[in-house]
Amino acid sequence: VLNVYASIDLGGTKIAGALATADGQVLAQRVIPTESHAGPQAVLARIAGLVEGLAAEIDVRPHALGMGVPGLADLQTGVVKFLPNLPTQWREVPAGAVLAQALDCPVRLLNDVRMATLGELVYGGGRGTDGAPVPGALVFYALGTGIGGGIALDGRLYLGPMGASAEFGHMTIVPHGPLCVCGSRGCLEIYAGGPAITGQGVRLLLAGQTTCLYDLVEGRPERVNPAAMAKAAAMGDERVRAVLVEACTYLGISVANTILTLHPRLVVLGGSVAEIGPLLLDTVRAEVAWRVGMFSAADIAIEPSRLGNRAGLWGGIALAAGIGI
Amino acid sequence: VLNVYASIDLGGTKIAGALATADGQVLAQRVIPTESHAGPQAVLARIAGLVEGLAAEIDVRPHALGMGVPGLADLQTGVVKFLPNLPTQWREVPAGAVLAQALDCPVRLLNDVRMATLGELVYGGGRGTDGAPVPGALVFYALGTGIGGGIALDGRLYLGPMGASAEFGHMTIVPHGPLCVCGSRGCLEIYAGGPAITGQGVRLLLAGQTTCLYDLVEGRPERVNPAAMAKAAAMGDERVRAVLVEACTYLGISVANTILTLHPRLVVLGGSVAEIGPLLLDTVRAEVAWRVGMFSAADIAIEPSRLGNRAGLWGGIALAAGIGI
């Protein structure tokens, strides 16, 4: 009999679920809408139903469930503290206890980006050739609408109190920069978050300063996004390329600061904004190369995510199986 | 019979040595000039002589020696890799092996700031009321001519490869700021290092813009330093106060970034620049309070060093005794 674990990645609009073995063999998976307007109890019932459905599909019950939530959760107590992108009822919700009772198995909760970091550690770039996490530190940047992060040290996820560490998106990059939603100014997210990059693209488009991007999106601002901008830049749209390089330069400064702090072995860049691709990686690597002068950064790998948007789901399997945590 | 350990803090101009018990009872200590011009072999002989002299004084030989060096050293091999402020012969010097043979005891080497961090962890602010290091992360800033740092996690020093992590002084604070000696631009050290602060004080003095500072140093620029500037600011020298607040604001940005990364329980500010005192602490705390919005920073203590310039020596005792490392 296989040891099967369940993983749930709870998002504002979608819930992804999977059953897998601890060595990473996926046995069943499915994505359903969150329907968050119905409130926490209904969403938790949907999650339990999703796991039950997957278990019925393969006729094996999971030993444990690992779940990532888009906000703050207490790993010790399984209580969801606060989910900024879901309705306000998600405060002090004992999601772990509710699901453990419904599914009759242990349930562990984690912030979704920290869970994705765990996925990268155990099943992604952090996995050595022998299958075990390689020593040293791993840093994960989740580049999306917001910029989140995670840290793993010597094969174990680093959490800090409440699992709230590694908030790279709110590092100050420009001391007197614009106000951020977090209350500070000049945060990385303001310069390198998805909306920031898209906003620059829309600005160029509306100002009539784009060439290839205009053609690609047929002049429609709602079609602009970082991936389309990267495509336009590769086709020769120099102004679009310049704003991408600038955003990635700010990201590179943050990565350099994190490297100076933790001297990691590996930095993984994931999330939808990482779809910018080589221009993002090259710019970040170049910035790190000249900004990190206190020790050699030559052997610090800066790589795209191997797991893509499945990093969270994989991390949930490791979380449920108690690997790397 | 007491278990006695030896500690050496090697500096560019002075060598401090001590013998102490693992619980922190100092039995003998002495400071001698480094005489670095004589080269590594002669300096190592002076260090061995210093330890022998202290041992003879109390008639007890140390079980082990912990030594901090102002640069890069390999903890595993005891090899000094590079000391930027000492003559260039200090490259690949097997200092650990040489001293172990001379003193007939194990010798462990560490970067001096990381060793001071270990001192703070085991004998300073990191020491809980029961005598054991309290859980969570401790971050140490050594604010001097340069700005170094150290990290301890859950009661153990975090080193990274070669013990070269926590180089907070070379975090980028201003993306396009002035060139730094490390090759990057806009590093913290450029704004909050001792020479930067003193330089601002001298600028104000020479431009005729100081009041109390002018009187304090009798108009002589060579007497200006951060402590004198702090005194002048406290006496009502508003322009001097403004440059101190600006420097401490940049330091506060770096501390906020480090807090967002590691969510520590305690940040210790040490080194000669910390002698600025309450103005420095208040400014850093205020900056952290509004810049860290992703989790509550209210229970993160930001404190001056309790050990002052003895943090390194204390750390050497912990290093020798294998505590917190």
Side-chain angles (χ1 to χ4, degrees):
Chain A
V1 172
L2 289 168
N3 273 352
V4 171
Y5 298 93
S7 172
I8 289 287
D9 196 356
L10 172 64
T13 56
K14 289 180 296 186
I15 304 168
L19 295 184
T21 60
D23 63 354
Q25 195 189 337
V26 176
L27 304 171
Q29 56 182 321
R30 198 177 304 161
V31 178
I32 62 172
T34 305
E35 298 183 2
S36 66
H37 55 85
Q41 297 311 318
V43 170
L44 291 175
R46 290 177 63 75
I47 289 170
L50 173 55
V51 174
E52 292 286 3
L54 292 170
E57 201 175 293
I58 61 167
D59 200 23
V60 184
R61 294 199 62 79
H63 280 242
L65 165 65
M67 179 163 96
V69 300
L72 214 53
D74 189 328
L75 181 63
Q76 304 306 321
T77 62
V79 171
V80 171
K81 309 298 280 186
F82 174 48
L83 305 184
N85 301 318
L86 271 84
T88 52
Q89 305 101 292
W90 284 93
R91 279 192 184 268
E92 304 293 336
V93 174
V98 169
L99 288 172
Q101 188 165 19
L103 296 168
D104 194 25
C105 74
V107 176
R108 302 178 96 172
L109 258 61
L110 211 53
N111 166 275
D112 54 1
V113 179
R114 259 63 84 184
M115 194 166 90
T117 307
L118 185 60
E120 293 290 346
L121 172 72
V122 177
Y123 302 110
R127 185 185 182 124
T129 46
D130 62 350
V134 289
L138 178 155
V139 170
F140 178 65
Y141 275 71
L143 307 166
T145 300
I147 297 180
I151 298 167
L153 303 174
D154 284 332
R156 286 174 72 90
L157 194 62
Y158 174 78
L159 287 169
M162 306 294 305
S165 63
E167 288 290 356
F168 303 134
H170 298 280
M171 253 190 197
T172 301
I173 297 295
V174 178
H176 307 292
L179 261 178
C180 178
V181 65
C182 77
S184 183
R185 283 187 177 274
C187 296
L188 174 62
E189 219 168 88
I190 291 177
Y191 300 96
I197 295 172
T198 299
Q200 293 278 12
V202 168
R203 176 179 65 80
L204 290 178
L205 183 81
L206 296 180
Q209 295 178 22
T210 61
T211 55
C212 313
L213 182 64
Y214 187 92
D215 297 338
L216 265 175
V217 302
E218 296 173 321
R220 293 163 69 171
E222 71 275 19
R223 292 196 181 169
V224 174
N225 61 45
M229 290 168 69
K231 204 168 170 187
M235 291 164 70
D237 199 324
E238 286 305 323
R239 288 212 175 80
V240 169
R241 186 187 162 82
V243 302
L244 287 178
V245 167
E246 188 174 33
C248 296
T249 298
Y250 284 115
L251 174 61
I253 290 172
S254 168
V255 172
N257 285 352
T258 304
I259 286 175
L260 284 161
T261 300
L262 292 172
H263 199 172
R265 187 190 58 80
L266 172 64
V267 178
V268 178
L269 304 178
S272 61
V273 170
E275 290 168 18
I276 290 173
L279 184 60
L280 178 132
L281 279 169
D282 292 349
T283 306
V284 170
R285 286 174 181 152
E287 201 66 18
V288 165
W290 81 270
R291 290 218 180 251
V292 177
M294 295 304 289
F295 47 79
S296 171
D299 55 353
I300 299 173
I302 300 172
E303 302 290 344
S305 166
R306 291 187 202 165
L307 304 177
N309 61 13
R310 295 162 299 130
L313 264 191
W314 285 92
I317 297 298
L319 177 63
I323 305 172
I325 189 106
Chain B
V1 171
L2 289 169
N3 274 351
V4 172
Y5 299 93
S7 172
I8 289 288
D9 196 357
L10 172 63
T13 57
K14 289 179 297 188
I15 304 168
L19 295 184
T21 60
D23 64 355
Q25 194 188 341
V26 176
L27 304 172
Q29 56 182 321
R30 199 177 303 162
V31 177
I32 62 173
T34 305
E35 298 183 2
S36 66
H37 56 85
Q41 297 312 316
V43 170
L44 291 175
R46 291 177 62 74
I47 289 170
L50 173 56
V51 174
E52 292 287 5
L54 292 170
E57 202 175 291
I58 60 166
D59 200 23
V60 185
R61 295 199 61 79
H63 280 242
L65 165 66
M67 180 163 95
V69 300
L72 214 53
D74 188 329
L75 180 65
Q76 304 306 322
T77 61
V79 171
V80 172
K81 309 298 281 185
F82 173 49
L83 305 184
N85 301 318
L86 272 83
T88 51
Q89 304 100 294
W90 283 94
R91 278 191 183 270
E92 303 293 335
V93 174
V98 169
L99 289 172
Q101 189 164 18
L103 296 168
D104 194 25
C105 74
V107 176
R108 302 178 97 171
L109 258 60
L110 210 54
N111 167 275
D112 53 1
V113 179
R114 258 63 82 184
M115 194 165 91
T117 307
L118 184 59
E120 294 290 346
L121 172 71
V122 177
Y123 302 110
R127 186 185 183 125
T129 46
D130 61 350
V134 288
L138 178 155
V139 170
F140 178 65
Y141 275 71
L143 307 165
T145 301
I147 296 180
I151 298 166
L153 303 174
D154 282 333
R156 288 173 71 91
L157 193 63
Y158 174 78
L159 287 168
M162 307 292 305
S165 62
E167 288 290 356
F168 304 133
H170 298 280
M171 251 188 198
T172 301
I173 298 295
V174 178
H176 308 292
L179 260 178
C180 178
V181 66
C182 78
S184 182
R185 284 186 176 276
C187 295
L188 174 62
E189 219 168 86
I190 291 178
Y191 301 95
I197 295 171
T198 299
Q200 293 278 13
V202 168
R203 176 178 66 78
L204 290 178
L205 184 81
L206 297 179
Q209 295 179 20
T210 60
T211 55
C212 313
L213 183 64
Y214 187 92
D215 297 337
L216 265 176
V217 303
E218 296 172 323
R220 293 163 69 172
E222 70 275 19
R223 292 197 183 169
V224 174
N225 61 46
M229 291 168 68
K231 206 168 167 185
M235 291 164 69
D237 200 324
E238 286 305 325
R239 288 212 176 80
V240 169
R241 187 185 161 83
V243 302
L244 287 178
V245 167
E246 188 173 33
C248 296
T249 297
Y250 284 115
L251 173 61
I253 290 172
S254 168
V255 171
N257 285 351
T258 305
I259 285 174
L260 284 161
T261 301
L262 292 171
H263 199 174
R265 188 190 58 79
L266 173 63
V267 178
V268 177
L269 303 177
S272 60
V273 169
E275 289 168 19
I276 290 173
L279 184 60
L280 178 131
L281 279 168
D282 292 348
T283 306
V284 169
R285 285 173 181 154
E287 202 65 20
V288 165
W290 81 270
R291 290 218 180 251
V292 177
M294 294 305 287
F295 47 79
S296 170
D299 54 353
I300 299 173
I302 300 173
E303 301 291 344
S305 167
R306 291 188 203 165
L307 304 177
N309 61 13
R310 296 162 298 132
L313 264 189
W314 285 92
I317 297 298
L319 177 63
I323 305 172
I325 188 106

